[in-house]
């Protein structure tokens, strides 16, 4: 009995001690104010229409300059000649959603001047959807800078000199200076440069004309930008100017059907030898104002952009001399120079305004909706020897709606872009010395440009994607220009076609990507009204023209 009482007493003492200890511990506990969960960004993120490379948390990418980081991205190739390419597709390069519109050499210098830690991420958009203009084919690389980047000031100089001693001594030089700076309030960029190049071109056009051209090209450019951080928002101001000033000196000879010098209404066969000098002067200016509204939710955004572009061009060709020896019977013509053989001008103005909005959607396992609109107006006029021979006007109104969603291992994108084109104008030309005025073939159509993408995550880092989109390609102003803006010989003519129609593309692609480093794909493009260059021979004369091919 005593043993039982002692055991119960001991057990009671232990229980009391344990209870007291527990109460003391409860009294000493501190309240936890919050828990922070840190999520590491993916180094590479595959989506149905794009691949996203994170720079902010990748030490191997955010050291050095941006160009060095880009060259380390899998599947992306950067060269001085071909520019930027991703998985075989040529890239249009954007900075914070705005196209840079600069050549590969200037682009490399620009990217070399940007520190890599100023970039948050790079999006390579292999299938531009409804958010982008229907004219945007190929692929896009969008460099998105980091607003929280440290202060910096960088200056990059790029220079080159090369020469050749083939036939005669020729040299080339290029120089550019790129300045980048940033503080907590704003950043600015200034890229200026020039190039000088001497080159030679030999050509044989169907044994009817052989020519040798000495070329002297001079180019100057300046690109400037200001970026203001307004809280979460951004205001971007950009102004670019490009100037080209080129001279060509061409010696040519051949066989042609030529006007008889005593009576221009009589055409005779003759061997000719001539020397011509041509001068080209181009000035292109572009100004863009962009306001980027940002929200607490990072995937929600509202952008406003206004842009204005003006381009002026002059082309003059003077014939220094032409010697002709007529055949059947043989007869020499006196040397008569045809001064001011060509005197052509053109001017282009484009004004546009666009708005883009996107926000997340609670749909399936998460999604996003994007919508926006665009208004653009273009005037393009050409002149030849004082006669305005083309007045071209294009007005484009567009709106788009696009949905993105996830469901387990699937990513879906479905959208459409509605664009209304109103293209009109007049052209003037001489027919038997009579000036004829005619209306251009109008293009006044409303068209839908759908796009659809689906991606399936087959296994870890292995994706299967299928894409479809409809795009449009408007004829370039050089193809529309009825005037010759290259060398014209006694038996050659190079002309544009103001009645060219836009090209409509249907693009299909299926692709397998593995481990972010390998891919295999198959793509097909069907084009209607494809613009093509045709060289036509009529007797001893050659005509270089632009035409539409119904389907290719």
């Amino acid at each position: 009995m005593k043993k039982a009482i002692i055991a119960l007493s001991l057990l009671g003492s232990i229980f009391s001690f344990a209870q007291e200890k527990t109460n003391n511990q409860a009294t000493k506990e501190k309240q936890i104010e919050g828990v922070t969960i840190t999520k590491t960004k993916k180094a590479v993120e595959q989506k149905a229409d794009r691949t996203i490379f994170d720079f902010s948390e990748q030490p191997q990418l955010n050291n050095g300059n941006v160009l060095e980081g880009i060259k380390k991205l899998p599947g992306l190739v950067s060269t001085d000649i071909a520019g930027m390419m991703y998985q075989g597709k040529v890239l249009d390069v954007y900075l914070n959603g705005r196209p840079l519109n600069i050549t590969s050499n200037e682009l490399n210098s620009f990217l070399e001047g940007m520190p890599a830690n100023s970039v948050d991420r790079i999006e390579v958009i292999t299938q531009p959807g409804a958010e982008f203009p229907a004219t945007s084919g190929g692929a896009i690389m969008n460099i998105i800078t980091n607003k929280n980047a440290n202060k910096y000031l960088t200056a990059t100089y790029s220079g080159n000199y090369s020469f050749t001693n083939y036939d005669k001594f020729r040299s080339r030089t290029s120089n550019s200076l790129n300045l980048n700076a940033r503080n907590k309030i704003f950043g600015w960029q200034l890229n200026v440069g020039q190039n000088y190049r001497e080159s030679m071109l030999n050509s044989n056009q169907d044994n009817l004309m052989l020519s040798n051209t000495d070329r002297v090209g001079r180019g100057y450019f300046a690109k400037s930008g200001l970026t203001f951080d307004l809280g979460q928002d951004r205001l971007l101001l950009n102004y670019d100017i490009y100037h080209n000033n080129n001279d060509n000196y061409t010696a040519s000879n051949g066989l042609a059907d030529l006007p008889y010098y005593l009576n221009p209404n009589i055409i005779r066969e003759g061997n000719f030898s001539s020397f011509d000098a041509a001068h080209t002067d181009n000035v292109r200016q572009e100004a863009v104002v962009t306001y980027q509204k940002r929200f607490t939710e990072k995937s929600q955004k509202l952008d406003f952009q206004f842009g204005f572009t003006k381009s002026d061009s002059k082309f003059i060709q003077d014939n220094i001399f032409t010697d002709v020896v007529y055949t059947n019977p043989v007869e020499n013509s006196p040397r008569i120079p045809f001064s001011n053989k060509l005197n052509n001008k053109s001017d282009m103005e484009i004004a546009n305004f666009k708005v883009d909005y996107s926000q997340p959607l609670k749909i399936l396992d998460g999604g996003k909706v994007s919508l926006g609109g665009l208004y653009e107006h273009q005037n393009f006029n050409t002149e030849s020897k004082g006669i305005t021979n083309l007045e071209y006007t294009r007005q484009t109104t567009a709106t788009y709606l696009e949905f993105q969603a996830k469901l387990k291992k699937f990513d879906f994108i479905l959208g459409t872009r509605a664009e209304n084109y109103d293209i009109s104008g007049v052209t003037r030309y001489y027919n038997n010395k009579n000036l004829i005025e005619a209306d251009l073939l109008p293009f006044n159509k409303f068209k839908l440009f759908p796009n659809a993408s689906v991606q399936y995550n087959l296994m870890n880092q292995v994706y299967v994607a299928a894409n479809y989109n409809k795009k449009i390609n408007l004829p370039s102003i050089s193809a529309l220009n009825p005037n010759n803006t290259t060398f014209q010989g006694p038996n050659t003519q190079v002309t544009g076609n103001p009645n060219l129609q836009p090209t409509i593309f249907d693009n299909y692609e299926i692709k397998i990507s593995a481990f972010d480093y390998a891919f295999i794909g198959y793509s097909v493009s069907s084009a209607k009204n494809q613009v093509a260059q045709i060289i036509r021979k009529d007797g001893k004369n050659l005509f270089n023209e632009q035409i539409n091919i119904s389907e290719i």
Side-chain angles (χ1 to χ4, degrees):
M1 186 67 179
K2 286 182 179 180
K3 290 181 180 180
I5 293 173
I6 292 171
L8 290 172
S9 300
L10 183 60
L11 184 61
S13 300
I14 294 172
F15 179 76
S16 300
F17 176 76
Q19 189 178 33
E20 183 179 358
K21 186 175 181 181
T22 303
N23 290 338
N24 290 338
Q25 284 179 340
T27 304
K28 293 180 181 179
E29 283 180 357
K30 294 182 179 179
Q31 184 177 358
I32 299 176
E33 305 235 341
V35 177
T36 301
I37 299 174
T38 303
K39 182 181 179 181
T40 304
K41 294 181 181 179
K42 293 181 180 179
V44 182
E45 186 176 359
Q46 292 278 357
K47 293 193 174 183
D49 65 334
R50 68 191 65 191
T51 304
I52 301 173
F53 299 96
D54 174 56
F55 266 57
S56 60
E57 297 184 12
Q58 309 302 320
Q60 76 276 16
L61 297 180
N62 60 26
N63 285 320
N65 60 59
V66 173
L67 185 61
E68 292 172 346
I70 286 175
K71 289 183 176 180
K72 297 174 186 176
L73 299 180
L76 201 148
V77 177
S78 173
T79 68
D80 291 339
I81 298 174
M84 301 284 181
M85 298 181 68
Y86 180 73
Q87 295 183 351
K89 292 185 177 182
V90 177
L91 292 170
D92 290 332
V93 182
Y94 284 51
L95 182 65
N96 294 319
R98 175 182 175 265
L100 285 175
N101 293 326
I102 54 178
T103 62
S104 56
N105 284 332
E106 298 162 6
L107 176 64
N108 288 347
S109 297
F110 181 80
L111 296 177
E112 283 177 343
M114 288 181 64
N117 61 12
S118 68
V119 173
D120 179 69
R121 64 189 184 279
I122 288 180
E123 297 181 344
V124 180
I125 305 161
T126 53
Q127 295 293 330
E131 179 183 354
F132 298 92
T135 53
S136 59
I140 294 170
M141 180 173 71
N142 187 21
I143 302 171
I144 301 173
T145 57
N146 180 5
K147 288 171 57 174
N148 300 319
N150 296 326
K151 297 179 183 180
Y152 66 83
L153 170 62
T154 64
T156 304
Y157 167 77
S158 175
N160 174 268
Y161 174 75
S162 60
F163 68 90
T164 176
N165 201 26
Y166 179 75
D167 185 48
K168 72 175 188 178
F169 187 84
R170 296 180 177 88
S171 62
R172 295 185 179 187
T173 62
S174 64
N175 297 276
S176 68
L177 177 64
N178 185 38
L179 302 174
N180 281 271
R182 186 179 180 85
N183 53 46
K184 292 183 178 180
I185 301 175
F186 70 94
W188 60 270
Q189 305 88 38
L190 178 63
N191 187 209
V192 296
Q194 63 83 222
N195 61 75
Y196 174 85
R197 56 203 180 279
E198 297 174 346
S199 60
M200 180 189 69
L201 174 66
N202 288 326
S203 68
N204 181 346
Q205 299 188 29
D206 201 32
N207 290 324
L208 291 176
M209 188 183 77
L210 288 81
S211 65
N212 172 271
T213 302
D214 262 319
R215 297 173 167 179
V216 178
R218 309 169 191 87
Y220 314 91
F221 69 90
K223 293 179 57 63
S224 61
L226 285 171
T227 303
F228 293 92
D229 295 329
L230 309 174
Q232 295 186 56
D233 305 340
R234 269 184 173 180
L235 176 65
L236 293 85
L237 307 175
N238 296 91
Y239 173 75
D240 305 337
I241 183 169
Y242 305 87
H243 180 211
N244 288 299
N245 182 10
N246 306 327
D247 291 310
N248 293 337
Y249 303 94
T250 303
S252 61
N253 62 84
L255 182 67
D257 292 325
L258 302 168
Y260 185 41
Y261 74 98
L262 293 178
N263 186 353
N265 294 321
I266 299 176
I267 303 298
R268 291 186 58 182
E269 180 186 89
N271 292 292
F272 68 88
S273 177
S274 64
F275 183 72
D276 296 80
H279 178 72
T280 305
D281 195 300
N282 299 320
V283 178
R284 179 186 175 89
Q285 302 177 73
E286 183 178 17
V288 180
V289 179
T290 307
Y291 183 81
Q292 299 176 335
K293 174 69 178 174
R294 295 297 179 260
F295 303 88
T296 304
E297 172 59 53
K298 287 190 175 181
S299 58
Q300 185 179 10
K301 68 175 186 177
L302 177 62
D303 292 349
F304 301 93
Q305 186 178 95
F306 174 77
F308 182 77
T309 302
K310 181 174 176 58
S311 179
D312 298 304
S313 179
K314 297 178 182 178
F315 179 79
I316 298 172
Q317 180 180 335
D318 290 319
N319 177 247
I320 308 303
F321 68 82
T322 297
D323 294 330
V324 179
V325 178
Y326 295 104
T327 60
N328 299 321
V330 176
E331 181 181 0
N332 293 330
S333 73
R335 175 176 289 186
I336 303 175
F338 298 94
S339 60
N340 205 222
K341 189 174 184 179
L342 294 175
N343 188 349
N344 300 325
K345 299 178 183 178
S346 68
D347 65 85
M348 179 193 70
E349 293 182 350
I350 301 177
N352 60 63
F353 175 77
K354 70 173 186 173
V355 57
D356 298 291
Y357 175 75
S358 66
Q359 72 168 42
L361 277 182
K362 293 182 179 179
I363 180 173
L364 301 178
D365 294 337
K368 184 178 77 168
V369 61
S370 302
L371 64 153
L374 165 74
Y375 174 80
E376 184 172 272
H377 187 87
Q378 175 181 351
N379 289 323
F380 178 57
N381 299 322
T382 66
E383 179 183 311
S384 179
K385 294 185 177 180
I387 301 296
T388 301
N389 54 0
L390 175 63
E391 296 178 8
Y392 172 91
T393 300
R394 174 175 60 83
Q395 183 173 292
T396 307
T397 308
T399 184
Y400 71 89
L401 180 65
E402 186 177 77
F403 294 95
Q404 299 184 22
K406 283 183 64 73
L407 178 62
K408 297 181 179 178
K409 292 186 176 183
F410 284 94
D411 289 292
F412 301 97
I413 297 176
L414 182 63
T416 188
R417 188 177 183 93
E419 298 205 353
N420 185 75
Y421 295 93
D422 186 359
I423 299 176
S424 61
V426 297
T427 182
R428 299 177 183 90
Y429 57 92
Y430 281 99
N431 186 9
N432 295 327
K433 298 184 179 180
N434 295 320
L435 184 63
I436 306 297
E437 179 176 306
D439 292 332
L440 295 180
L441 188 64
F443 185 84
N444 191 348
K445 291 186 179 181
F446 174 84
K447 283 189 171 293
L448 293 176
F449 297 92
N451 67 286
S453 300
V454 59
Q455 177 177 277
Y456 177 68
N457 187 358
L458 191 63
M459 61 181 71
N460 186 31
Q461 289 188 296
V462 178
Y463 303 89
V464 180
N467 301 281
Y468 165 76
N469 62 60
K470 182 185 284 287
K471 296 291 183 181
I472 187 171
N473 186 23
L474 303 175
S476 67
I477 59 173
S478 61
L480 294 170
N481 192 343
N483 299 326
N484 187 1
T485 56
T486 60
F487 168 75
Q488 177 172 309
N491 59 349
T492 60
Q493 291 187 27
V494 182
T495 58
N497 182 357
N499 283 305
L500 288 175
Q501 296 292 285
T503 306
I504 306 295
F505 294 92
D506 287 287
N507 304 309
Y508 307 85
E509 182 184 61
I510 185 168
K511 183 174 68 174
I512 300 175
S513 301
F515 311 112
D516 305 323
Y517 288 92
F519 78 97
I520 183 170
Y522 180 75
S523 61
V524 175
S525 290
S526 174
K528 294 181 180 179
N529 283 331
Q530 173 69 56
V531 176
Q533 185 180 36
I534 182 172
I535 298 178
R536 178 172 55 87
K537 183 179 178 181
D538 185 3
K540 298 180 180 63
N541 293 311
L542 297 173
F543 299 88
N544 192 326
E545 303 165 329
Q546 304 284 340
I547 63 169
N548 280 116
I549 297 175
S550 59
E551 191 167 354
I552 188 170

